Amino acid sequence: MEVPPGIDPTKAHPSRRYNYWLGGKDNFAVDRESAETVASAFPTVRLSACENRAFLKRVVTYLAGEAGIHQFLDIGTGLPSAGNVHEVAQAIEPTSRIVYVDNDPVVLVHARALLTSAPAGRTAYIEADLRDPEKILADTDLAHTLDLSRPVALMLVATMHFVTDEHDPYGIVRRLLSALPSGSHLVMTHATNDFLTPEQYAESVEANERSGVPFRLRSTEEFTRFFDGLELLPPGITSVVDWRPEIPEEQRPSVADVSMLCAVARVP
């Protein structure tokens, strides 16, 4: 892969690492090395990434259809692959509007080329960091794309575990939600340590430190705090595997192997 201007190919990035786990080609050697370091402590990480992506398609299908949500703010977009938010949403409601946010310039290059809206809808891409919610909310492209007087789905899919405690993860989510009206929805998935022994947890923390990407596993109790004051939709806090599944339980992967929590909640 060619190195676009402004990219440091010696530093791993979550979006390119995720691209590698999903079988993509838009990653550097450092991303692949980082991914394999994580996999040394969490061998089923690729399965987890794929199940997370499958959840994304199911939840956008639900929101754009049954829930009637036609605006999406997708933060931590990652590199485009099949079944992006706007493709799923606009197939159901062509007027859907989507703002993508990521802090990887490689994503920006691909997003501008590939994240093109259906004629009746609109998409925009913002290069910004989740840890700076004020910059995201003040962006003119967001204002031109989304009508914040109408419900918006805030998508934080496999992103908040990259926000470590010193950056006030709960405050970030509260600030983003404070800009959205009643009837908006919060969608979140998050890697969990629920299924790890203390020894496995220590190994995971050490591997993530070696991977060069800050990472914070959280328990179900810690994850649930993100939804304080919101109306959790059925089935509540659960695994991405078990959220409105499309295949029988006996054919689904192990919840422990995937180790990814999820929930969808409505802003009252």
Side-chain angles (χ1 to χ4, degrees), residues 33-45:
E33 291 164 9
S34 175
E36 292 302 333
T37 298
V38 173
S40 69
F42 182 29
T44 53
V45 63

Side-chain angles (χ1 to χ4, degrees), residues 63-130:
L63 290 170
E66 191 175 327
I69 302 295
H70 303 142
Q71 300 192 108
F72 296 82
L73 176 56
D74 181 12
I75 303 179
T77 302
L79 283 141
S81 60
N84 298 293
V85 170
H86 76 284
E87 293 170 328
V88 178
Q90 291 180 348
I92 296 167
E93 175 47 64
T95 63
S96 295
R97 295 179 169 218
I98 296 87
V99 171
Y100 292 107
V101 182
D102 207 290
N103 66 347
D104 182 359
V106 172
V107 174
L108 175 61
V109 170
H110 289 268
R112 285 177 172 159
L114 299 175
L115 301 182
T116 52
S117 174
R122 186 177 295 178
T123 62
Y125 179 86
I126 299 171
E127 186 176 355
D129 195 304
L130 172 60

